[in-house]
Amino acid sequence: MNVDSSILDIIRAKKLIERRDIAPRIREEGDFVVVDAKGLHYRILNEVVYELAEKYKKIKLINVNGQRYIADGLRGDYYIEIHGTAGDDLGAFMNGPEIVVYGNVQDGAGNTMNAGKIIVHGNATDILGHSMRGGVIYVEGDVGYRVGVHMKEYKDQVPIIVAGGTAGDFLGEYMAGGRIIILGLKRRFTSEIVGDWIAAGIHGGAIYIRDSIEEDRLGYGAKIAEFTEEDKKYLAKILEEYCRTFGYDLNKILEHEFTKIVPESHRPYGKMYTD
Amino acid sequence: MCGLAGILNRYGKRISGNKIITMANMMEPRYDGRGGGFAAYGIYPQHRDCYALHIYFDNEDAKELTEEFLKEHVLIVKDEEIPTRKIKEIPKRYITWRYFVEVPEKFKNNEHDYMISVVMGINDGIEGAYVISSGKNMGVFKATGMPRDVARLFKVEKYKGYLWLAHGRFPTNTPGWWGGAHPFNILDWSVVHNGEISSYGTNMRYLEMHGYKCRLLTDTEVVAYLFDLLVRRHRLPYELAAVALTPPFWKHIEKMPPEKKKLYTYIRMTYAPAMLNGPFAIIVANSTTMIGLNDRIKLRPLVTAKDDEFTYIASEEAAIREVAPNIEELFAPKAGVPVIAKLEVD
Amino acid sequence: MGFPPEFKVVVDKEKCIMCRRCTIECPYGVHVWDEKKKTIIRKEENCVACQRCVFTCPTKAIQIEVRPPAYSPHPVWTEKVRRDIRLQAETGSVLLVAMGNEEPYRRYFDHLVIDACQVTNPSIDPLREPIELRTYLGAKPDYLELEESYSDIKLKTELTPNLKLETPIMFAHMSYGSISLEAQKSLAMAAKEMGTYMGSGEGGLHKDLYPYADHIIVQVASGRFAVHEEYLKVGAAIEIKIGQGAKPGIGGHLPGKKVTEEISQTRMIPVGSDAISPAPHHDIYSIEDLSRLIYALKEATRYKKPVFVKIAAVHNVASIAVGIIRAGADGVVLDGFTAGTGAAPQVIRDHLGIPIEVAIAAVDQRLREERIRNRGSIIASGGIRSSADVAKAIALGADAVYIGTAALIALGCTVCKQCHRGKCAWGIATQDPKLRKRLKPEEGARRAANLLRAWSFELKEILGALGLNSIESLRGNRDRLRGIGLTEVELEVLGVKPAGR
Ligand code: SF4
Ligand code: SF4
């Protein structure tokens, strides 16, 4: 079904988007509006998404390949489905929407997001969830370097990142709050569940890694804390939705050993400087 | 920020420039139009045994001087203009010419070093002449502009090669002149580079000690020279050359088994001034190999994938997906660990 | 003819509780108890401003002030010039001084600034990302030869011994005799703790230092005091001292009165006899003789130790350094003209030699031109005051630095310049058992190690700001330095561009 032509008029009216072929790319499908992103410049695609969001709550983007900034700064209870590889900074500054990606996401997904959900049926790369303040990111497979760098929490806003595969170096670097959970269920290219310098500079929040971790792989300011029954209960609660999403067996996941990593103190560098 | 792409047909099958142009175009948000370029291997089979010199001249005088110089030092088998299109996006600023040359018999035993000195002789000695590439059966095409326009300017789609590199530039630290665009090449080696070599001063002075002259105002040239020095002259295998350039941290070396630890320690000690530091991702190629490498703490992105015929390396996954939609295993190499793809025919 | 006192000792009578601590603390006889008058009198003319009384007075009642110039001012005939002349007229002697060059020459370190990253390359935060300072001193081959077999790669090249430093800062050679055993012990303990080295100086190794010998570079100087086979074998490396920055071309002299029982044992000379280090080594009159000594030492230690050669930075330092490396040394120590000393003729200290910055630049460049930069390390010494100086020295081309005066300041030295008098109020440059007790080796070690810790951390901050995660990428990286207020020729010599370029 064709979409409301007034929306297309608005899109066309924007100077940026002069293409005549924009109409055939957009159609309604049930309560979704579907956009074929094939070959579209990211500015056009995102402009279309913002305009459609005026009317539709459910947006499906197909043939996405590398377009950046999708749903950046979007606020409200949207449901956005992406088929393909989402480009850099997916959902940055986002406040509320749920994004489900069938494919991989490139660097910086969930950058500084405030609320909402990003679900990736694939892998993510570096600086996933950078400075994230709220919401959740679920990744089925691997995540890259510096995941959750400078994540923070504020009052009842506690951001969460869960990855089913492995993570690179500097996981939870400078972390100031929130939770990161790495499950290591699939280890595609490495036997190591996470890289080195874990939680370097951490001063808030916690990281759960489903494996044993040697002390010397922690970064400055991090320590290993006891993994308690309390933690297990917490994970059971948090991972319930995750497992449902990707079809993992929650009990099997929880049977395994976990390592919990927390800050040594909230002011790790207090002693380092003198005046 | 810059974008890199590389593609190798491991069986040496030559493909048109279209794939690499598509890959480059996919990463346009990474460029600002002040530099783009391509390197292509296998494009001059009819002159495969000649060094193909791509040279940009500021003016006829520089061209004349260069030709005199060439006649004195090498045998010119053929020379012609590098064909271009007239396009409004990139006004042609230079005379672009290519020379297919051979090294005189008496220098044949030290051919490589001899050719390097010829290239450096032109770059260093003749004002207004820049050798853009100098390998056999290969060439570099680059200019100030978006890769898509550079491709149109030089009719890149018309060439057929088995190994291609592309680069789009967002220069911050070096002036945007044509010669400063990537790929950077010296003889067989070509490099495309995203980021900055913060150790440039150290690397440059080390290379100068070994007779290289770094004069092209770009930190990328040190990468090419370092590969030439380490792999060709010092005969390090590619894997170990990569260890010299982006070594593991001492912390990790300490944990290696004794033999390996010693090897790695020796490499770090001996090649300390060759270490590349700063945020970077690079793709380096020669006629048989394509190598992707990023810095020791992975400050720039790089992804790679492989199918039955091709190995791909790019700054963004999207660039690979676009030309190989069905690829399965696509991954981001670890910090400082090279991706090495070799030609499987000789 | 006496001299008007240089300093004024101001005592706050209200705060003073007459505890008489200052009369005990002051080794120079400034605060003296007058039994008859039942009061303390202050002989200001003796005061050297060592600050001992100021620090130790329980009520902080004492303040030392510089006396306003007592002479009618004159730009040429300064007060110092007039004092010196009068003193020499009185005594007919060479003026003896301690610590480093006091003339106001240009300090190049203060005219060099370091680059930092903005946008194009992220600076690295040393608090969370790894930054490496490990440095190897010694010869490196031109390249590595490998044996490639089917399954693995084997090394054919064997490296000659190198010293492994966890931070590129070492403690300079200060002999037992010129400084106390406690001071040496403090530095030895700190060096060991921090994974670096100290220099033994030329006075041999006291047996108490043997447990730290694997972190001590043993010196072979012209006097050859205490140089014996065991001394050479226990040390981590050997350093032949040709000259020192504070007194190039001059030998050394430890007066007999300082040669106590313990020192006599360590130096292996009779108690009370003068210990004279001749100006030259009498077995080295030329570069080939130096080579002979280098190899004699290598043979004697079965090629297990690197051998360094220390020279004062003088005009043709670059070609001398080339000769030294070609002669087989594993490194050259350059001692700049601001280097400290326990005692030197003032005229020599203040007027001979060249600045360390220039020497590093010239030597590094020449070794590269000769294509032998890898065959030996450059260790810079003399006047290194801060981690910034260390970073600049390394960027100019040094592999590591030695710190002497800075290390002593860490132990408590206040640079009162009285080392040659052997009465150091801080227990450093003295052999007096009472004064020596003032320096506790554990406390000294803690402070010296802390200094290295702090400077190492600052070095990491600098590297981080430069976007470098390893010190080798700073070495010789003059591209990351800029000069301020230097002439074109000076910039050329240093190999740096002016700020703004
Ligand atoms: S040490 Fe201080 S309080 Fe004690 S007598 Fe001297 S000046 Fe007075
Ligand atoms: S070591 Fe002692 S005598 Fe020498 S300057 Fe320092 S405080 Fe004064």
Side-chain angles (χ1 to χ4, degrees):
Chain A
M1 217 193 110
N2 285 343
V3 290
D4 190 338
S5 64
S6 64
I7 291 182
L8 294 179
D9 288 343
I10 296 170
I11 293 171
R12 279 200 209 95
K14 304 243 169 176
K15 245 190 133 187
L16 186 69
I17 304 163
E18 287 160 331
R19 301 200 175 187
R20 283 197 205 99
D21 58 328
I22 200 74
R25 288 171 173 273
I26 307 174
R27 62 175 199 275
E28 281 181 3
E29 200 182 272
D31 47 356
F32 272 99
V33 60
V34 182
V35 182
D36 182 351
K38 178 97 190 149
L40 274 191
H41 191 276
Y42 72 82
R43 290 190 69 179
I44 299 169
L45 176 64
N46 292 332
E47 202 57 55
V48 168
V49 170
Y50 293 132
E51 282 311 324
L52 291 173
E54 295 288 321
K55 182 162 179 242
Y56 298 90
K57 284 289 179 197
K58 289 180 155 185
I59 302 169
K60 190 192 281 187
L61 309 177
I62 59 169
N63 294 322
V64 171
N65 191 19
Q67 283 92 345
R68 306 174 157 207
Y69 314 124
I70 296 174
D72 279 17
L74 198 62
R75 178 194 182 128
D77 56 344
Y78 294 98
Y79 179 84
I80 298 172
E81 222 174 81
I82 296 174
H83 295 260
T85 300
D88 291 3
D89 276 352
L90 168 76
F93 313 109
M94 177 174 98
N95 200 1
E98 175 173 347
I99 300 180
V100 180
V101 182
Y102 294 94
N104 297 336
V105 298
Q106 292 188 175
D107 289 359
N111 192 351
T112 325
M113 80 186 246
N114 199 54
K117 207 181 268 183
I118 297 179
I119 294 170
V120 182
H121 292 265
N123 304 304
T125 49
D126 303 348
I127 54 168
L128 174 74
H130 168 256
S131 273
M132 182 181 177
R133 199 182 301 107
V136 298
I137 299 180
Y138 296 152
V139 179
E140 182 178 6
D142 297 338
V143 294
Y145 279 54
R146 298 183 175 79
V147 166
V149 49
H150 218 182
M151 248 170 123
K152 34 184 98 65
E153 61 189 61
Y154 181 64
K155 293 191 176 153
D156 54 352
Q157 264 181 298
V158 181
I160 295 167
I161 297 177
V162 187
T166 60
D169 293 351
F170 307 108
L171 175 70
E173 188 177 35
Y174 248 163
M175 194 169 168
R179 305 285 180 270
I180 299 177
I181 302 161
I182 306 292
L183 298 174
L185 302 169
K186 294 181 194 150
R187 302 189 187 186
R188 288 192 305 157
F189 301 107
T190 162
S191 58
E192 278 176 359
I193 181 163
V194 296
D196 206 342
W197 299 289
I198 307 162
I202 185 172
H203 50 295
I207 299 178
Y208 295 96
I209 297 171
R210 190 170 159 277
D211 210 337
S212 62
I213 297 291
E214 304 122 60
E215 223 31 95
D216 74 343
R217 285 175 52 204
L218 302 189
Y220 188 85
K223 70 169 183 198
I224 292 178
E226 196 196 339
F227 183 76
T228 62
E229 272 308 306
E230 214 50 28
D231 290 315
K232 201 168 176 176
K233 266 189 225 145
Y234 171 78
L235 287 188
K237 196 178 86 197
I238 297 288
L239 291 176
E240 201 268 330
E241 185 189 12
Y242 180 84
C243 287
R244 206 162 9 89
T245 309
F246 298 114
Y248 289 130
D249 180 343
L250 177 62
N251 290 324
K252 250 174 99 183
I253 286 177
L254 291 177
E255 267 167 26
H256 202 277
E257 173 183 8
F258 273 88
T259 305
K260 182 183 183 186
I261 294 163
V262 297
E264 260 178 332
S265 104
H266 292 278
R267 288 199 59 232
Y269 309 119
K271 267 208 311 251
M272 202 151 286
Y273 296 99
T274 170
D275 39 39
Chain B
M1 196 156 65
C2 298
L4 317 176
I7 179 169
L8 166 69
N9 183 295
R10 295 193 303 282
Y11 303 100
K13 202 176 110 193
R14 302 196 300 139
I15 55 165
S16 86
N18 284 323
K19 265 196 185 182
I20 195 79
I21 297 169
T22 304
M23 286 180 83
N25 290 349
M26 282 306 291
M27 299 183 287
E28 255 175 23
R30 306 185 73 86
Y31 324 139
D32 76 343
R34 281 196 289 156
F38 300 86
Y41 289 79
I43 55 174
Y44 299 132
Q46 66 280 32
H47 298 291
R48 67 169 74 236
D49 296 323
C50 294
Y51 291 93
L53 303 181
H54 281 198
I55 309 184
Y56 293 173
F57 301 107
D58 282 354
N59 49 49
E60 284 293 342
D61 285 356
K63 185 162 176 277
E64 249 169 61
L65 276 174
T66 305
E67 285 175 359
E68 268 169 40
F69 179 87
L70 284 174
K71 278 179 196 146
E72 229 172 90
H73 294 98
V74 295
L75 313 166
I76 303 177
V77 175
K78 183 184 173 176
D79 74 283
E80 64 191 5
E81 192 172 8
I82 303 174
T84 51
R85 280 191 183 98
K86 230 185 153 88
I87 58 169
K88 68 171 189 317
E89 289 82 358
I90 309 174
K92 204 169 157 192
R93 270 201 265 157
Y94 305 92
I95 303 165
T96 57
W97 216 263
R98 64 190 168 208
Y99 300 83
F100 297 96
V101 308
E102 277 174 8
V103 169
E105 208 46 53
K106 58 178 170 181
F107 298 113
K108 276 263 157 79
N109 55 347
N110 197 14
E111 202 177 320
H112 223 99
D113 288 331
Y114 181 78
M115 270 314 289
I116 288 187
S117 59
V118 168
V119 171
M120 298 221 162
I122 297 170
N123 285 345
D124 211 32
I126 303 174
E127 206 169 299
Y130 317 102
V131 180
I132 294 307
S133 63
S134 47
K136 286 181 179 172
N137 196 12
M138 63 81 60
V140 165
F141 307 91
K142 61 184 183 180
T144 307
M146 281 289 191
R148 70 165 71 237
D149 298 325
V150 176
R152 283 169 55 229
L153 175 71
F154 286 108
K155 308 183 180 180
V156 170
E157 76 285 355
K158 298 221 155 107
Y159 292 88
K160 285 177 90 184
Y162 57 87
L163 195 170
W164 290 87
L165 302 183
H167 187 266
R169 194 151 183 249
F170 199 142
T172 37
N173 54 350
T174 36
W177 63 293
W178 282 24
H182 299 201
F184 178 78
N185 166 281
I186 180 76
L187 268 56
D188 206 20
W189 295 102
S190 301
V191 185
V192 288
H193 163 213
N194 166 22
E196 190 173 305
I197 308 287
S198 310
S199 54
Y200 175 74
T202 299
N203 306 136
M204 174 197 73
R205 298 185 70 226
Y206 175 64
L207 287 164
E208 283 182 350
M209 188 172 117
H210 286 93
Y212 297 87
K213 290 179 188 137
C214 305
R215 296 290 150 79
L216 278 175
L217 309 177
T218 155
D219 49 5
T220 309
E221 63 183 324
V222 300
V223 180
Y225 297 150
L226 284 170
F227 269 96
D228 189 62
L229 178 68
L230 270 55
V231 174
R232 185 180 62 83
R233 281 170 59 183
H234 291 180
R235 306 199 172 288
L236 285 186
Y238 291 102
E239 290 78 4
L240 293 185
V243 170
L245 299 180
T246 54
F249 284 85
W250 289 116
K251 175 182 170 184
H252 298 136
I253 292 177
E254 293 298 338
K255 287 187 196 163
M256 291 174 178
E259 282 285 310
K260 190 174 178 193
K261 176 175 161 182
K262 183 172 169 189
L263 176 65
Y264 277 57
T265 304
Y266 272 27
I267 291 174
R268 270 200 83 166
M269 288 170 71
T270 306
Y271 289 105
M275 182 202 280
L276 293 173
N277 221 313
F280 65 84
I282 50 176
I283 309 176
V284 184
N286 64 20
S287 52
T288 61
T289 317
M290 176 170 79
I291 305 159
L293 184 66
N294 54 18
D295 65 80
R296 304 204 303 153
I297 54 174
K298 200 168 187 294
L299 294 166
R300 306 308 303 132
L302 201 66
V303 287
T304 181
K306 195 171 151 173
D307 61 21
D308 293 346
E309 264 187 287
F310 294 98
T311 298
Y312 310 86
I313 305 177
S315 297
E316 294 191 19
E317 177 176 332
I320 298 177
R321 287 250 181 252
E322 193 69 12
V323 292
N326 300 321
I327 210 116
E328 292 216 331
E329 289 293 69
L330 185 144
F331 76 103
K334 284 191 173 188
V337 179
V339 180
I340 301 169
K342 289 185 184 155
L343 206 58
E344 285 171 26
V345 292
D346 38 37
Chain C
M1 269 191 292
F3 293 94
E6 270 185 271
F7 304 104
K8 211 157 119 189
V9 181
V10 186
V11 179
D12 186 335
K13 291 275 183 298
E14 306 228 311
K15 283 191 187 161
C16 175
I17 50 170
M18 277 296 178
C19 70
R20 289 156 70 177
R21 173 94 185 254
C22 47
T23 66
I24 300 157
E25 293 290 346
C26 182
Y28 299 102
V30 175
H31 309 271
V32 185
W33 178 249
D34 188 326
E35 195 47 52
K36 267 199 251 132
K37 291 189 189 140
K38 298 278 179 237
T39 186
I40 298 168
I41 52 170
R42 263 93 193 182
K43 299 194 170 171
E44 284 186 331
E45 64 278 16
N46 289 341
C47 182
V48 297
C50 77
Q51 300 283 328
R52 181 74 193 179
C53 59
V54 175
F55 278 83
T56 52
C57 167
T59 63
K60 300 277 168 273
I62 309 173
Q63 188 179 330
I64 308 293
E65 287 173 6
V66 176
R67 272 191 178 272
Y71 288 67
S72 168
H74 192 286
V76 177
W77 300 97
T78 60
E79 191 187 338
K80 177 171 176 291
V81 168
R82 280 176 268 180
R83 266 179 188 274
D84 288 351
I85 291 175
R86 292 184 84 134
L87 184 59
Q88 290 193 293
E90 186 70 28
T91 60
S93 316
V94 171
L95 298 169
L96 203 64
V97 287
M99 300 317 275
N101 196 324
E102 285 183 62
E103 292 298 318
Y105 297 105
R106 175 163 282 186
R107 276 182 289 276
Y108 287 96
F109 282 135
D110 298 341
H111 291 264
L112 291 171
V113 288
I114 303 170
D115 192 17
C117 300
Q118 301 290 301
V119 185
T120 63
N121 51 351
S123 39
I124 308 167
D125 184 348
L127 298 179
R128 58 198 168 108
E129 318 236 11
I131 294 186
E132 300 181 311
L133 296 181
R134 185 183 292 180
T135 300
Y136 281 93
L137 297 183
K140 318 287 187 298
D142 294 343
Y143 56 91
L144 287 180
E145 266 198 90
L146 302 169
E147 221 170 304
E148 253 186 289
S149 66
Y150 185 69
S151 59
D152 64 352
I153 295 164
K154 279 217 163 65
L155 277 163
K156 265 207 249 170
T157 311
E158 273 299 325
L159 258 70
T160 53
N162 270 251
L163 280 190
K164 178 168 106 181
L165 279 63
E166 294 301 344
T167 184
I169 310 167
M170 305 188 288
F171 297 125
H173 287 266
M174 291 174 286
S175 71
Y176 177 41
S178 76
I179 62 172
S180 64
L181 183 59
E182 288 69 17
Q184 276 206 330
K185 249 198 213 166
S186 303
L187 298 179
M189 287 160 77
K192 188 156 189 156
E193 185 190 336
M194 297 304 292
T196 182
Y197 300 83
M198 75 171 267
S200 67
E202 61 173 302
L205 261 197
H206 190 280
K207 59 183 183 324
D208 286 7
L209 289 174
Y210 271 64
Y212 308 99
D214 56 343
H215 286 267
I216 296 177
I217 300 171
V218 294
Q219 197 174 63
V220 173
S222 62
R224 305 284 155 88
F225 300 113
V227 175
H228 56 97
E229 133 301 305
E230 203 193 353
Y231 170 77
L232 297 175
K233 273 180 197 153
V234 294
I238 299 170
E239 187 169 314
I240 299 170
K241 175 181 140 183
I242 299 294
Q244 81 186 75
K247 40 179 170 178
I250 295 275
H253 176 200
L254 188 72
K257 63 174 194 259
K258 286 196 187 173
V259 181
T260 61
E261 181 60 44
E262 268 190 302
I263 289 190
S264 106
Q265 274 174 25
T266 305
R267 289 215 178 195
M268 305 170 106
I269 50 167
V271 177
S273 91
D274 277 8
I276 292 174
S277 299
H281 289 245
H282 285 289
D283 52 0
I284 306 177
Y285 289 158
S286 73
I287 196 79
E288 60 271 20
D289 291 348
L290 173 66
S291 186
R292 185 176 63 201
L293 178 60
I294 291 171
Y295 282 98
L297 291 166
K298 288 192 174 189
E299 282 289 336
T301 51
R302 313 251 47 89
Y303 293 88
K304 286 194 181 117
K305 324 256 171 201
V307 175
F308 305 134
V309 175
K310 173 181 179 174
I311 50 170
V314 290
H315 301 182
N316 54 345
V317 65
S319 37
I320 300 168
V322 167
I324 288 171
I325 298 300
R326 289 206 191 281
D330 299 289
V332 55
V333 180
L334 306 173
D335 205 19
F337 78 162
T338 41
T341 175
Q346 177 177 292
V347 65
I348 300 288
R349 185 196 68 173
D350 290 353
H351 300 280
L352 273 61
I354 63 169
I356 186 63
E357 303 89 325
V358 173
I360 300 168
V363 169
D364 176 66
Q365 187 54 33
R366 181 70 73 81
L367 290 177
R368 285 167 193 270
E369 281 161 15
E370 301 277 332
R371 301 198 173 185
I372 53 171
R373 179 64 186 83
N374 55 307
R375 281 175 38 192
S377 297
I378 297 175
I379 304 161
S381 159
I384 307 273
R385 302 155 300 174
S386 65
S387 58
D389 289 355
V390 179
K392 291 170 191 177
I394 290 173
L396 284 172
D399 288 83
V401 304
Y402 268 135
I403 56 169
T405 305
L408 295 189
I409 295 173
L411 300 184
C413 161
T414 54
V415 195
C416 71
K417 304 172 286 187
Q418 306 301 317
C419 319
H420 56 296
R421 292 169 65 187
K423 290 199 221 172
C424 176
W426 300 90
I428 299 166
T430 180
Q431 303 306 324
D432 179 330
K434 281 211 294 290
L435 295 172
R436 279 169 50 190
K437 270 197 218 133
R438 295 179 177 184
L439 180 64
K440 306 263 175 298
E442 291 70 27
E443 175 61 10
R446 187 186 71 82
R447 299 179 60 86
N450 262 346
L451 181 72
L452 291 187
R453 206 169 277 127
W455 284 18
S456 301
F457 195 77
E458 286 176 347
L459 277 179
K460 290 184 182 184
E461 295 258 32
I462 292 170
L463 287 173
L466 285 165
L468 303 175
N469 54 35
S470 198
I471 191 84
E472 50 257 59
S473 297
L474 179 64
R475 201 177 304 141
N477 199 343
R478 300 182 189 173
D479 204 38
R480 310 303 298 275
L481 289 177
R482 289 291 184 270
I484 286 185
L486 296 175
T487 65
E488 221 164 288
V489 177
E490 287 171 317
L491 290 167
E492 192 197 308
V493 170
L494 292 167
V496 299
K497 291 181 197 156
R501 283 270 172 81

